[in-house]
Structures are given as structure tokens and as C-alpha cells.
Amino acid sequence: MLVQLGSVPTIVISSVEAAEQVMKIHDLDLCNRPLLAGEKRVFYDCRDIIFAPYGEYWREIQKICVFELFNAKRVQSFKVVREEEIVVLIKSISDSPNTTTTTTVNVYEMLSSFTHKTICRVSFGSITDESNNERLSQIISEFTVVLSSFFANDFFPKVGWIVDRKSGLHGKTEKCFRDIDRIFQEMINKHVDPERVKTNHDDIIDVLLKIKNDPVITILLTHDHIKAVIQVFWGKN
């Protein structure tokens, strides 16, 4: 079934046979995600591993993630981080005030804090300071809202950008991008500082910076590419 969403023709697949044609037989021709305005801006012009169009860059960045970032050895190296943060989580629950017979524990808030701190240590090597920690959590919430918003520009490219600016969505997206970009750049600057105190294991930024300078890599990796890859972790937070 063909549905016209603004100026974007959209095909709805509703049978097993058609799905096989799209997802198996003609997979390479149809595997790219649409370049939506929000994702394109927030993910550094789609330089991450989720929204990047299929091609040499996507294949190379996926190879880096599979063999360098998410391999069994790397995951195992972060075991200490996970164990330490689990101990903190359990202690925070056990230390909850017990002034009455029934104690209310905000499990969602504690698990969110656990996830946030663990990702910080895996990605950056340390937990961000309290002000950045609170601000980063706020940015992630704004980030989620932006990515789930309706961008008129996606469906009406010629005039939609005017609607997005009038509605304030364009401004929210730019603000969200600048805020998170500033925090990521500060973290990268700390990692390239020769006087930085190294941890016992390489974090995600350490690994990507080493790969960036590896002559074997066939694609150009800049700080924006590194920030786009890190963004994937926060998009799932």
C-alpha cells in the first residue's frame, strides 16, 4: 500500500512475500533509514552506527564497534565497573530511610542513576561532576523528546523548516545538540591532555582516539565521529 506522507511516498508492507522482497532479496537497496532532521542534527550528520547510510563508512564503523568496542575482552574489562556500581546501588537501597514499617524506594530513579554512572565510567572513564551529571541527565530527557518529535521539514522539505522554526522545535534541537556536544568535547579534551591521570583500563573514548590515529583505518575519524558513536550509548540510556 502506498501512503503519501506530505511529499514523502511511503510504502506499507503487509504480506510475508513482500516483506521477504524488502528485507532479504532487495535488502541492500532498501536497508538505509530515512535521514530525518532530528537524528541528522543530533547524531552529527548521521555519523553514528544506527543512522549512518549503508556504505564504506558504515561497514568500517560497524567493524570498529564489533571488534574493538563490544568484543568479549572489552566487555569483560568493564566487569569491575559494573560490580562497583552494583554495590553502590544495593547500598543505596539498604540505606534508604526506614522510619515506618513500609519503606518506599524509587527503583526507577536508582536504576537510572546506576545506568547513568556505569555508562559514564565506561564511556568517559569517570563519573561527571554533580553539576554536569544533573545537566547531562536533563539533556538526555530533552534528547529523547527531540527525537520523538514531529519535524515538518521531514515531510514538507520546501516549507517545513519554517514551521519547525516557528514552533520552536528547531531551536530546541540546536540547544540540545550544543549542550551535549559541549560535554562530549570537554571529555575528549581531558582524554587528549598529556597530564591526564590514566585509569587501569581504556574507556570507549580512549579506544576510539587510538583507532583514530591508526593508519590501518580506511576512513577519516574526527572528534565528531567519536562523539556520534558515544551518542549511541546515551540514546539507549
Side-chain angles (χ1 to χ4, degrees), residues 27-197:
D27 176 56
L28 292 181
D29 297 318
L30 302 167
C31 63
N32 286 331
R33 293 171 181 261
L35 298 179
L36 302 178
E39 284 81 358
K40 187 175 181 180
R41 182 54 173 154
V42 173
F43 287 101
Y44 297 85
D45 202 22
C46 295
R47 291 170 176 161
D48 62 309
I49 59 175
I50 296 177
F51 296 101
Y54 180 78
E56 182 186 357
Y57 173 77
W58 181 86
R59 290 192 296 270
E60 191 68 27
I61 203 69
Q62 185 191 48
K63 187 194 306 180
I64 289 171
C65 290
V66 171
F67 293 106
E68 299 293 341
L69 302 185
F70 305 128
N71 62 53
K73 183 178 179 181
R74 187 74 59 195
V75 172
Q76 187 65 22
S77 72
F78 296 126
K79 180 181 178 182
V80 175
V81 172
R82 295 192 298 271
E83 289 177 343
E84 290 177 354
E85 291 304 325
I86 287 175
V87 170
V88 173
L89 173 63
I90 294 173
K91 188 175 186 303
S92 66
I93 295 174
S94 63
D95 290 347
S96 299
N98 191 17
T99 55
T100 61
T101 305
T102 304
T103 302
T104 301
V105 177
N106 191 328
V107 177
Y108 174 79
E109 184 178 296
M110 289 185 172
L111 287 176
S112 295
S113 177
F114 162 76
T115 304
H116 175 81
K117 291 178 179 178
T118 303
I119 292 177
C120 270
R121 293 183 63 184
V122 169
S123 302
F124 306 142
S126 63
I127 300 173
T128 55
D129 60 60
E130 195 60 34
S131 59
N132 265 352
N133 188 29
E134 183 178 343
R135 181 59 185 140
L136 190 53
S137 297
Q138 182 182 346
I139 293 172
I140 292 169
S141 299
E142 296 171 357
F143 168 89
T144 305
V145 171
V146 165
L147 293 185
S148 60
S149 298
F150 173 86
F151 284 82
N153 191 39
D154 291 330
F155 302 98
F156 307 97
K158 292 183 178 179
V159 297
W161 62 272
I162 301 175
V163 177
D164 291 338
R165 280 165 173 74
K166 289 289 185 181
S167 67
L169 184 56
H170 175 78
K172 289 179 182 178
T173 304
E174 287 298 312
K175 181 178 181 298
C176 178
F177 173 78
R178 287 194 301 269
D179 287 346
I180 204 164
D181 178 74
R182 175 183 58 80
I183 291 176
F184 285 165
Q185 189 59 54
E186 287 176 359
M187 294 301 171
I188 291 177
N189 291 342
K190 289 180 181 178
H191 280 70
V192 298
D193 183 355
E195 298 182 1
R196 170 199 173 212
V197 178

Side-chain angles (χ1 to χ4, degrees), residues 13-32:
I13 299 300
S14 57
S15 70
V16 174
E17 294 77 11
E20 183 181 16
Q21 289 285 327
V22 170
M23 304 180 70
K24 185 177 180 181
I25 298 175
H26 299 289
D27 176 56
L28 292 181
D29 297 318
L30 302 167
C31 63
N32 286 331

